[in-house]
Amino acid sequence: MNMAFENFREPEQFEIIFDKESGLEAVIAIHSTSLGPAAGGCRFWTYDDIEAAKIDAFRLAEGMSFKNALAGLPLGGGKAVIRKPARDFHRDTLFRAFGRAVARLEGRYVTAEDVGTSVADMLVVSQETKNVAGLPTQDLKPGGDPSPWTARGVFLSIESSVRRRLGRELRDCVVGIQGLGHVGFSLAKMLHDAGARLVVADISAERADRAAVELGATVSSADEILSAEIDVFAPCALGAVLSDKTIGTIRAKVICGAANNQLATDEDGLRLANRDILYAPDYVVNAGGIINVAAEYLGWTSEQAKALVEATALRLNQIYDLAEASGAATHEAANRAAKAIITSRRETSMVA
Ligand code: NAD
């Protein structure tokens, strides 16, 4: 292994925050600032202990470095995770305390929404720090909920992957979506408008039923959707759904969705390649949200952000081409390309 890539997952810096008064228990992981301030959302989720939260934060932060590098953003990668308190808590007090923790990092980390957090939470965070994006937008400027932008990038990626792997258009395909939250439901609407038939699953029966009523989707169970008779599987819930236990049962020929860290391990990417399933690396296709966040933070126009999101399928096809040319699995090709961008910048700044 190239020495520069060893221990790549280890972050440059991490902070563990305990704030007794608010009940905040959080981890902020700054994976890399080689390309700019470490940017990545804040997850609010149930973790068994702070160690589990730390492992998740490290993995997600590395993914953000790769995502931002391949999207061509002048940003490094970071992530925050907050443990959902087991006891009663005051949400605004908790997010104010989190905002103070972000402020103490003096711009090395920029936060935004992720699973379990909302525009309202980021507004609270903004009372303590300016290093936050995903705030309400005005005058058509980038900002607000990043998920429709994420959904758009995933939609374009599915459309392109289906053409590449199956030689078909979306109107001739069945797409299975696991998770109908902010991104998943938006994506379902786009696919429906393009004529695709949908099979959906969500642990919330209400969300699945809404897709059935509004989009004519067939409802499956959260587990069975993996082995359903579908052409494309779009994971849009949580990570690690592609594992040694699930991959053998998958019938879809394309996997392309929004969820972060879909592969339980790197070996699972090889398992998919060996089964001739085209896997669209998650952080390549789900960059639309962070592009919108970056545009807001860096003061870009909506047109600049839109152009980068619309180019998502182009970037994905470059990764597919690299994988084909080198005989690597698609996730390996993406990892290599991202690491090369980050490492070359790191080496350039060391020389300078
Ligand atoms: P969300 O919390 O709004 O939605 C997640 C949905 O998944 C919920 O409806 C939930 O009920 C459902 N769900 C949870 N476990 C499930 C299971 N086992 N089976 C089926 N459904 C299940 O989150 P979101 O913002 O839509 O994000 C979805 C995924 O995409 C996450 O992995 C997130 O990290 C990733 N992502 C989101 C964005 C964004 O812009 N929001 C950007 C990049 C990546």
Side-chain angles (χ1 to χ4, degrees):
M1 183 190 270
N2 184 327
M3 288 297 283
F5 294 172
E6 272 182 19
N7 297 325
F8 209 84
R9 180 152 294 169
E10 214 170 274
E12 278 178 17
Q13 179 182 354
F14 69 92
E15 301 284 330
I16 295 188
I17 305 121
F18 284 101
D19 182 71
K20 194 173 175 192
E21 200 182 323
S22 62
L24 177 71
E25 284 186 42
V27 181
I28 300 178
I30 295 178
H31 175 263
S32 164
T33 53
S34 296
L35 302 179
C42 168
R43 182 166 291 197
F44 186 56
W45 198 247
T46 308
Y47 292 95
D48 288 345
D49 51 35
I50 200 73
E51 193 55 31
K54 189 174 129 189
I55 291 166
D56 208 23
F58 281 22
R59 194 158 181 232
L60 289 163
E62 182 194 48
M64 289 310 302
S65 287
F66 291 1
K67 188 184 306 194
N68 296 341
L70 285 188
L73 298 172
L75 294 171
K79 200 85 181 182
V81 304
I82 300 180
R83 273 187 86 193
K84 201 172 200 170
R87 58 179 172 81
D88 286 348
F89 66 97
H90 187 260
R91 196 165 176 113
D92 284 8
T93 310
L94 196 84
F95 278 91
R96 288 286 290 253
F98 172 65
R100 289 193 291 279
V102 174
R104 285 195 291 276
L105 290 165
E106 298 180 326
R108 284 175 56 74
Y109 169 64
V110 182
T111 199
E113 294 87 350
D114 190 56
V115 174
T117 56
S118 64
V119 175
D121 296 324
M122 293 308 126
L123 258 182
V124 174
V125 172
S126 73
Q127 293 176 35
E128 300 286 354
T129 177
K130 60 179 185 338
N131 295 310
V132 53
L135 301 172
T137 177
Q138 285 171 349
D139 307 329
L140 300 175
K141 286 189 184 141
D145 178 8
S147 52
W149 298 69
T150 305
R152 173 72 184 161
V154 175
F155 168 79
L156 293 167
S157 301
I158 293 178
E159 185 182 51
S160 185
S161 301
V162 155
R163 283 183 188 143
R164 187 166 182 130
R165 176 67 181 80
L166 303 172
R168 283 198 243 148
E169 294 300 317
L170 281 171
R171 62 177 174 275
D172 301 317
C173 290
V174 185
V175 183
I177 305 178
Q178 183 189 47
L180 294 165
H182 289 93
V183 181
F185 207 89
S186 220
L187 174 67
K189 280 194 201 152
M190 293 172 191
L191 290 165
H192 173 72
D193 290 348
R197 275 169 295 140
L198 301 176
V199 177
V200 298
D202 198 295
I203 47 172
S204 152
E206 194 188 325
R207 289 182 186 177
D209 290 346
R210 187 176 153 215
V213 172
E214 291 182 21
L215 309 173
T218 304
V219 176
S220 172
S221 75
D223 294 332
E224 283 169 2
I225 192 157
L226 279 142
S227 55
E229 194 74 61
I230 50 181
D231 300 303
V232 181
F233 175 50
C236 294
L238 293 178
V241 283
L242 306 172
S243 69
D244 57 345
K245 293 187 185 59
T246 60
I247 288 171
T249 68
I250 292 174
R251 296 198 218 175
K253 285 291 169 203
V254 172
I255 298 182
C256 180
N260 282 312
N261 297 340
Q262 292 166 29
L263 298 172
T265 66
D266 277 351
E267 285 72 47
D268 296 311
L270 297 176
R271 283 192 182 93
L272 290 171
N274 290 340
R275 286 208 53 212
D276 202 18
I277 295 172
L278 183 61
Y279 170 64
D282 45 23
Y283 59 78
V284 179
V285 306
N286 70 11
I290 194 71
I291 290 171
N292 182 43
V293 161
E296 177 185 351
Y297 187 70
L298 299 167
W300 294 354
T301 63
S302 288
E303 286 68 33
Q304 285 172 295
K306 195 168 171 223
L308 257 192
V309 175
E310 292 299 306
T312 303
L314 192 73
R315 293 191 291 274
L316 175 63
N317 275 296
Q318 286 171 346
I319 296 297
Y320 287 158
D321 289 344
L322 280 174
E324 268 178 31
S326 63
T330 53
H331 75 291
E332 289 174 326
N335 288 355
R336 273 184 211 159
K339 284 175 183 176
I341 294 170
I342 296 165
T343 310
S344 71
R345 182 64 65 84
R346 207 182 270 165
E347 280 161 5
T348 314
S349 24
M350 275 159 67
V351 171

